[in-house]
Amino acid sequence: MAVKYERAFVARLEKRLLAEEPLIQVLVGPRQVGKTTGIKQLLERYAAPFHYASADDVLNSDSSWLLEQWQKAMLMGKGSLLAIDEVQKIPNWSESLKALWDKNPFDLRVVVLGSSALQIQSGLTESLAGRFELTRIYHWTFAEMQQAFDYDLERFLRYGGYPGAVRFEDDYERWYAYLKDSIVEAVIGKDILLNRKVGNPALFRQAFSILCHYPAREITYTKLLGQLQDKGNTDLVKYYLELYAGAFLVNTLEKYSNRPWRTRLSSPKIIVACPALCTMAAGLPASADPEQRGHIFESAVGAQLQQLPGELFYWRESNAEVDFIYRHHEKLYAIEVKSGRSKSAKGLSICIERFSQARPVILTREFFPAFSKDPQHFLNRL
């Protein structure tokens, strides 16, 4: 098992920190994808003085703890690096950091990160506007799992996205328990339910399991609501989807249209952020079904496209469909994923007729390794 693999965000973060007067650097993303590991890799080679502290090591942390860490870094000299892990565990951390930063802007180079994406993102919008740069760190891609752990595509579509789970793959029950207890329940129980108002936690957990059964599928809010074992309305379903998207677990796509009101009224297409979540929800036999495997592959493509700058949609008109419409600046791509599942082959040509500026892209399993390595470069070459 590879243990020294360094994710690309580490080098990007290092470049930002070495620039003139960098803003506060904030890392946000799902649990167990290497945020802390990446920071420690950076610090191992960092030439200037630095101070690393984790609020996870403090039993009764308060805002004075953050002041103490700031002072330790300041005593190392102007321009030193302060890295705070699990920052969300400090009460009013964003207000405290804002006060320290505004008093001595740019005296320190500052990185903050934590395991609760929702808590960190809310702190940014409330207090630190204009003072930070955000780096979103996503689940491991196929290219990363291939390079670090010698994955093939089939293995990735079953287990991929969480490096910490690799060592448990030979024992499905242990693998399942790791994902459920260390990742999914930690996100739902700690990151979401303790910080957002959810009237029925059991229903909320049930919704997650249902969503993971629908990778790369369009599904109406009414149908989703009908599968929940309780009364509610479509606003409740939309709220649940919003929370799961904020926690980097499940995202949705709207239908592409030149008319914005049609986009807002469209049924969502579900993108599960990591193939392992589909396997955990459905079990190994279900994940081996060819039709489901095709949907998981499409979802994996969509998850990587959502990591890119720009906007991502799907397109459908009657029985004609295109899996993804990707728009970035003046470029528009119509992307058809050849996943092996049965569907009409006419959708791409009809879509190009409707939107002549769109570049047609066919993405097969053969092309997927090159796409996964650098999606933007892959698309720009077409």
Side-chain angles (χ1 to χ4, degrees), residues 127-243:
S127 303
L128 292 174
R131 299 167 178 83
F132 72 92
E133 283 186 288
L134 184 67
T135 298
R136 292 182 176 86
I137 302 167
Y138 298 91
H139 292 87
W140 286 45
T141 65
F142 169 63
E144 290 176 308
M145 297 298 285
Q146 183 182 46
Q147 185 174 351
F149 303 106
D150 198 29
Y151 265 39
D152 59 23
L153 181 56
E154 292 306 310
R155 186 180 171 193
F156 176 74
L157 295 179
R158 181 166 294 183
Y159 297 112
Y162 288 111
V166 171
R167 63 188 184 274
F168 302 126
E169 288 176 15
D170 291 337
D171 185 339
Y172 176 74
E173 295 303 325
R174 288 188 70 193
W175 180 88
Y176 176 89
Y178 174 83
L179 249 73
K180 182 177 184 296
D181 299 333
S182 297
I183 299 174
V184 173
E185 184 52 39
V187 173
I188 294 176
K190 295 180 180 179
D191 299 347
I192 300 178
L193 295 180
L194 288 181
N195 299 286
R196 294 292 188 275
K197 185 178 180 180
V198 176
N200 189 331
L203 191 70
F204 185 67
R205 288 181 170 89
Q206 184 195 6
F208 175 72
S209 179
I210 292 171
L211 291 167
C212 288
H213 281 80
Y214 287 93
R217 286 178 168 91
E218 301 162 44
I219 184 169
T220 66
Y221 293 112
T222 302
K223 184 176 180 179
L224 280 172
L225 182 63
Q227 295 194 41
L228 296 175
Q229 297 172 354
D230 203 351
K231 294 181 179 180
N233 54 47
T234 56
D235 287 338
L236 177 70
V237 175
K238 291 178 181 179
Y239 179 57
Y240 284 1
L241 288 169
E242 178 186 325
L243 292 178

Side-chain angles (χ1 to χ4, degrees), residues 9-29:
F9 79 85
V10 180
R12 292 197 301 268
L13 178 63
E14 184 177 30
K15 183 178 180 180
R16 288 184 177 185
L17 289 169
L18 294 176
E20 289 278 340
E21 297 187 338
L23 298 174
I24 297 169
Q25 300 299 308
V26 181
L27 307 186
V28 63

Side-chain angles (χ1 to χ4, degrees), residues 15-16 65 75 90 168 231 239 245 270 333-334 354 372:
K15 183 178 180 180
R16 288 184 177 185
W65 181 87
L75 290 173
I90 306 300
F168 302 126
K231 294 181 179 180
Y239 179 57
I270 306 300
Y333 299 90
R354 300 288 189 275
S372 182

Side-chain angles (χ1 to χ4, degrees), residues 6-7 10-11 14 38 40-48 50:
E6 183 175 292
R7 301 195 70 189
V10 180
E14 184 177 30
K40 291 182 176 180
Q41 289 171 329
L42 188 155
L43 295 179
E44 284 178 1
R45 62 172 182 263
Y46 199 72
F50 65 84

Side-chain angles (χ1 to χ4, degrees), residues 219-221 234-235 238 241 252-269 311-314 327:
I219 184 169
T220 66
Y221 293 112
T234 56
D235 287 338
K238 291 178 181 179
L241 288 169
T252 59
L253 301 182
E254 296 176 329
K255 184 165 68 175
Y256 182 75
S257 173
N258 285 335
R259 301 175 182 178
W261 64 270
R262 285 191 173 180
T263 294
R264 292 192 298 270
L265 295 175
S266 65
S267 297
K269 183 172 185 175
E311 298 174 283
L312 189 65
F313 308 87
Y314 72 94
R327 182 171 65 194

